[in-house]
Amino acid sequence: MSAIKLISTSGDQTVDLAEGRSIVVGRAVTSDLPIYDPTVSRRHAEVVLRNGSVSVRDLGSSNGTFINGTQITDQAVAQDGDTVTFGKVAFRVREVTPPAMKPPPKPEAHAGFGPRPPEATIVRQLPVEELGNIQARIQGRPSGASQLKVIGDSTSERQSTKLSLLLDISKELSKQQEVDKLLQKVVDITFQVMNVDRVSMLMVEGSGELVPRVSKNRLGDAGGSRHVPQSIARRAVNERLAILTDNAAADERFKGQSILMQSVRSAMCTPLMGSEGKVLGIIYVDNLTATNSFGDEDLEFLIAFSGITAVAIENSQLTERVRREAVVLSNFQRYFAPNVAAEIASQAGSVKLGSGEKRPVVIFFSDIRGFTPMSETMGPDEITTLLSEYFTEMVEIIFEHEGTLDKFIGDAIMAIWGAPLRHEDDADRAMRAAINMQRVLVALNKKWGETGRRPVNIGIGINFGEVFAGNIGSDRRLEYTVIGDAVNTASRLCSKAGPGEIIISEPFFKQLKHPPALEAVEPMQLKGKAQAVQVYRVKL
């Protein structure tokens, strides 16, 4: 009989579906099919095999459950070959035949086992040339009116050589992953393939200003961008025009001191057009010694060259952005929810290492009650397993409610809401997270009890107040955290909470837009406080 399996498209997870048995899919440790991905909810979906068909039911997930790309609103059926996606994690339904029931393999088609199939025909064979074989396409001097140094006696030969040259240039530029090195390479190639006196590349910055990036003349003096006539450059950008002028100083459209001062005779300028129609910058070339030095062929080639350059620039910018985001993520994913870390990475400068500020935040502490005497009777492996499973589950809840994991302190957890990113309902998010932790711990204890492991209970304390939030530490190690009296108060509230209790302060209570059922308890005298503090206990 065939078996039905769910196999992840990445190939790292497989689950066998038994007839009539319910499988809960989610991010929780207690899930039958745990998927540790931020787009998957703690209890995301339920999967059941009934009469050879896979029934899939969404359990109110945040990011939805899909079959073959169509979101299911409640329940649907998946068949063999269908794709079931939980959030953004995809699985395929596969009907697998046991090896003993598979038909025997067909004999190979060769002599003695049937006719030999016809052999494939090689239509054409061409040697693959080395990347960036630019030198093979050019010669020492330009021919005719063109300043392009390409090989070819006839128009068709030159056209073919130019296409090959552009392909080689594209290959060469694709190897440059840093924008600055790429721009330098573009300038070098321009001198290599065209007979020009000066080449400049200017890039459009966020303000719309043209900023010089690379500039070079044949005599070796870079000279910045001083030789680029602003009248020509701005017209190329504003009107998205490729410009060829055979005597710029005499052209009424380009009247300006920069042209006269630089004695520009013949020039070409093309905009670098990005994929969304945005002008990235310009390539400018000129000759000082002769008028009418450039022709249509030169301008057409420079336009094609600038198109290839624009694509290469966008690819390099993307590479640099991905590299920068990876660095940010590696620093911040330790204590931010994955989606928060991704948001920080996408916003350059939103959180700066070494910076900090005063701001109001929610401070959360939880602590395992009686852990010290419990750990004295446990082995190191048992303690490690217990804390790993407990921390994994609790941190997932913090991240699910978009809190920031500050640190682990022994068996305690410190988390904050309101830094580095703030939400209007941070207090309610923290409150929901605390209630969810206590409820999930009940299920976790039940699971542990079935395997003979001892249960744990936690106390939780939550406060609200102004703190210093930022990256604190030494040159060798920086850590994002909060410091202030409000932090100490939250810690002491946690120490007062009994097993299974949540104790909150008066300032935190006032921040709640949707408070749960509460009961006021006797004001508590906390260490460091001259007067007793009004607190509340959450009714669970």
Side-chain angles (χ1 to χ4, degrees), residues 342-360:
E343 185 175 349
I344 292 171
S346 65
Q347 299 175 10
S350 60
V351 176
K352 297 180 180 179
L353 290 173
S355 65
E357 60 179 338
K358 281 189 174 182
R359 62 193 302 169

Side-chain angles (χ1 to χ4, degrees), residues 33-60:
L33 177 53
I35 305 174
Y36 303 115
D37 185 275
T39 64
V40 177
S41 299
R42 289 174 45 73
R43 282 177 54 83
H44 194 102
E46 181 185 47
V47 179
V48 183
L49 178 63
R50 292 193 181 97
N51 301 321
S53 296
V54 179
S55 175
V56 182
R57 181 165 66 94
D58 187 82
L59 299 178

Side-chain angles (χ1 to χ4, degrees), residues 81-351:
D82 287 345
T83 299
V84 182
T85 306
F86 309 102
K88 292 185 178 179
V89 182
F91 284 74
R92 289 200 183 278
V93 178
R94 281 284 182 258
E95 183 175 354
V96 181
T97 303
M101 299 183 65
K102 288 183 179 179
K106 295 180 180 180
E108 297 181 11
H110 55 79
F113 294 98
R116 179 188 294 273
E119 293 185 357
T121 301
I122 298 175
V123 177
R124 192 177 186 189
Q125 296 183 140
L126 290 173
V128 177
E129 297 182 353
E130 182 182 354
L131 288 180
N133 192 18
I134 296 173
Q135 195 61 41
R137 315 292 184 194
I138 62 177
Q139 58 190 16
R141 296 181 179 180
S143 60
S146 173
Q147 298 300 317
L148 271 176
K149 298 185 288 185
V150 296
I151 295 173
D153 296 328
S154 65
T155 302
S156 60
E157 285 181 3
R158 289 178 62 81
Q159 187 71 12
S160 176
T161 304
K162 283 187 290 184
L163 291 174
S164 298
L165 178 58
L166 289 168
L167 177 60
D168 289 332
I169 290 172
S170 176
K171 292 175 181 179
E172 185 67 24
L173 296 184
S174 68
K175 295 186 289 185
Q176 305 297 326
Q177 295 187 347
E178 297 180 20
V179 174
D180 288 340
K181 292 182 178 179
L182 170 65
L183 299 183
Q184 184 62 59
K185 191 69 176 179
V186 170
V187 169
D188 292 342
I189 289 176
T190 306
F191 273 112
Q192 196 174 355
V193 302
M194 299 187 76
N195 186 43
V196 295
D197 291 329
R198 301 184 296 197
V199 180
S200 280
M201 296 198 68
L202 284 73
M203 302 300 292
V204 177
E205 299 294 339
S207 61
E209 181 184 1
L210 271 171
V211 177
R213 295 293 293 271
V214 183
S215 196
K216 183 179 178 182
N217 69 38
R218 194 168 293 283
L219 299 177
D221 178 23
S225 64
R226 293 189 301 273
H227 69 263
V228 179
Q230 289 299 304
S231 52
I232 293 178
R234 293 311 315 178
R235 188 159 191 233
V237 172
N238 294 338
E239 300 181 33
R240 290 167 165 75
L241 292 176
I243 296 170
L244 185 157
T245 174
D246 57 12
N247 192 349
D251 195 319
E252 291 292 331
R253 293 167 299 179
F254 303 131
K255 283 296 184 184
Q257 290 297 315
S258 60
I259 289 177
L260 296 175
M261 290 173 62
Q262 295 301 328
S263 302
V264 175
R265 307 289 284 176
S266 298
M268 293 190 297
C269 184
T270 60
L272 301 167
M273 300 299 299
S275 57
E276 297 180 358
K278 178 182 177 182
V279 179
L280 306 178
I282 63 166
I283 299 178
Y284 171 87
V285 301
D286 67 19
N287 275 332
L288 303 178
T289 56
T291 59
N292 303 306
S293 60
F294 296 120
D296 289 343
E297 183 183 25
D298 300 318
L299 185 63
E300 290 172 0
F301 183 86
L302 193 63
I303 292 172
F305 183 25
S306 67
I308 293 171
T309 300
V311 172
I313 289 172
E314 287 191 321
N315 288 339
S316 295
Q317 290 174 337
L318 176 61
T319 300
E320 288 185 352
R321 185 166 70 249
V322 169
R323 187 184 298 117
R324 178 185 62 80
E325 290 180 3
V327 172
V328 175
L329 284 172
S330 67
N331 280 305
F332 291 111
Q333 269 188 332
R334 294 176 298 155
Y335 35 77
F336 298 144
N339 58 323
V340 175
E343 185 175 349
I344 292 171
S346 65
Q347 299 175 10
S350 60
V351 176

Side-chain angles (χ1 to χ4, degrees), residues 477-502:
R477 179 183 174 89
L478 285 173
E479 192 170 271
Y480 191 87
T481 189
V482 293
I483 295 175
D485 181 65
V487 179
N488 300 331
T489 299
S491 176
R492 286 157 188 160
L493 287 176
C494 177
S495 66
K496 295 289 186 179
E501 286 187 345
I502 303 172

